[in-house]
Amino acid sequence: MAVLYSIDSAISSFFASSTTATRQQCDALASSLAGSPVSPVQIQGSFSYTLTAGTNNGKLFQFRVQESSLDMEIMSLARATHPQFVAGCKYHGTIGQSRPLHIYEMDNLPGTPYIMARNISAAQPPDAVLRQRNTVKDLARFFTQSWNASQHLPQDDSSALLAEFHDKFDLLARSLPPRFAPNLGKVRQELPALFSGALPFVLNHGDLCEMNLLVNSTTGDITGIVDWAEARVLPFGFSLWALENILGCMDSEGWRYYDNRRELEDLFWQTFSEGASSASDLGLQLIRAARMAGLFYRYGFIVEGKDVKGVVDQADASSLAYLDAFCSADDWAPTTKC
């Protein structure tokens, strides 16, 4: 039986489990900062409470737990890299004596979460296809912006990242079912190349899911990308798993791609290649490895906020379903172009 989402239940659960601050205190503070009444957004995050104020895309006020706080340097980098897609953000300190919440004021970006705007029929109707194409092209432009805004990492920092991911993927290899071993083995072999600088180090979003992608529900154009709490600088490609969520969807029968999946993939890589400087054949080969590494990292770990708590097991049927869809096949790249 499907579980219906209840905004009141989600908010009540957040305040009961996350902080000693109350909803009333947060509402009052946000209203004071805004100088106007506030109201909760319709879909709340697991680690935050978000309110909107004003009309005509005014302001958002977000209260986030410590484990999911925003790094303001990362936010500035995101805004500089993706000015079209990232909201301005201001920090207002904390509220609550115990387990305080971090307070942020943001521009309220227009648009609808992609999960609410998409059409999930296998055979996409013509109007949905047009929207998909616009979404895919904008997503490709987003990744192009990341590629072109590469970040310099000192050798010590890149070496530390390599050691971190060696440990993480060794843990996955010990813990995940044997059917994932072939692709895990390939990723582990490629880790030194991935962190060598052969691919640019870029800002990776970290949670580029259907909830955090805002689109114009009429045109499909991406209007914003939100929730940068898990963003960090990694080799390009670790967030490419986001493309899969435009190419298909998960239902009670498992993952299924849309009938026009190949066309959309080709459009994505054509758009990316047109804008990404020096995306050589070597780079495309390594992007395949980075994409697979990102899929394992996304769906192979139990994560709470920014903290990795362990590896998924048989009790986490949803994550295993995604791993089976993307990480168990012999062909670890969904297209010859990536």
Side-chain angles (χ1 to χ4, degrees):
M1 179 181 296
V3 177
L4 297 178
Y5 176 81
S6 165
I7 183 173
D8 289 331
S9 295
I11 294 172
S12 296
S13 176
F14 172 79
F15 282 99
S17 62
S18 301
T19 181
T20 55
T22 68
R23 177 180 179 178
Q24 292 74 21
Q25 288 173 326
C26 293
D27 288 354
L29 177 58
S31 180
S32 174
L33 290 170
S36 66
V38 294
S39 58
V41 299
Q42 288 304 301
I43 297 182
Q44 296 287 329
S46 300
F47 303 102
S48 62
Y49 173 53
T50 306
L51 300 153
T52 183
T55 57
N56 297 322
N57 299 318
K59 293 290 183 179
L60 287 178
F61 293 88
Q62 194 168 74
F63 299 81
R64 306 183 67 95
V65 299
Q66 173 62 39
E67 295 79 8
S68 189
S69 59
L70 300 177
D71 183 322
M72 295 306 293
E73 289 188 6
I74 289 290
M75 291 303 302
S76 294
L77 177 58
R79 178 77 168 158
T81 304
H82 308 289
Q84 175 186 353
F85 301 120
V86 179
C89 183
K90 183 186 300 183
Y91 181 57
H92 287 294
T94 62
I95 186 172
Q97 294 300 314
S98 177
R99 295 177 294 159
L101 300 176
H102 293 262
I103 309 158
Y104 303 92
E105 177 183 344
M106 307 172 187
D107 297 328
N108 188 6
L109 297 173
T112 302
Y114 179 74
I115 195 170
M116 299 172 64
R118 66 184 180 179
N119 184 304
I120 61 173
S121 58
Q124 294 280 296
D127 61 327
V129 169
L130 292 175
R131 292 194 298 271
Q132 280 180 322
R133 290 171 180 164
N134 288 334
T135 303
V136 162
K137 286 191 290 186
D138 274 352
L139 188 64
R141 294 183 185 110
F142 173 82
F143 279 101
T144 298
Q145 291 170 354
S146 295
W147 177 279
N148 291 336
S150 61
Q151 304 297 305
H152 171 72
L153 281 190
Q155 181 63 46
D156 288 349
D157 290 352
S158 59
S159 297
L161 280 175
L162 175 59
E164 174 192 340
F165 278 84
H166 261 308
D167 290 345
K168 281 185 164 69
F169 280 89
D170 286 349
L171 177 59
L172 289 176
R174 294 193 302 269
S175 306
L176 286 177
R179 62 185 180 274
F180 302 113
N183 281 335
L184 265 175
K186 292 178 182 179
V187 169
R188 293 165 74 198
Q189 289 178 351
E190 294 288 354
L191 284 177
L194 288 178
F195 287 90
S196 69
L199 286 179
F201 285 96
V202 303
L203 182 63
N204 279 263
H205 181 280
D207 191 17
L208 198 54
C209 65
E210 311 96 312
M211 303 277 285
N212 294 331
L213 198 69
L214 304 180
V215 298
N216 182 312
S217 59
T218 301
T219 66
D221 296 319
I222 295 177
T223 58
I225 292 175
V226 300
D227 200 351
W228 290 81
E230 298 173 32
R232 60 188 305 198
V233 173
L234 292 173
F236 178 87
F238 269 68
S239 293
L240 274 172
W241 56 265
L243 175 60
E244 303 304 314
N245 290 315
I246 313 299
L247 305 179
C249 66
M250 184 71 74
D251 60 22
S252 59
E253 302 298 319
W255 180 264
R256 56 184 174 82
Y257 283 107
Y258 303 132
D259 289 352
N260 59 335
R261 167 262 189 107
R262 294 296 183 186
E263 176 204 345
L264 294 173
E265 281 181 322
D266 288 345
L267 179 60
F268 178 91
W269 290 109
Q270 177 186 343
T271 306
F272 174 79
S273 297
E274 289 171 354
S277 59
S278 304
S280 65
D281 291 340
L282 171 63
L284 292 177
Q285 290 293 327
L286 281 178
I287 288 171
R288 295 180 181 180
R291 170 192 165 272
M292 184 58 66
L295 285 164
F296 273 115
Y297 188 59
R298 164 68 174 175
Y299 296 113
F301 289 107
I302 300 168
V303 178
E304 294 182 8
K306 301 175 185 177
D307 299 329
V308 173
K309 299 296 184 181
V311 177
V312 299
D313 56 25
Q314 296 300 325
D316 195 338
S318 175
S319 291
L320 285 176
Y322 281 103
L323 288 171
D324 279 323
F326 305 133
C327 301
S328 62
D330 291 336
D331 180 10
W332 70 332
T335 171
T336 56
K337 296 187 179 182
C338 174

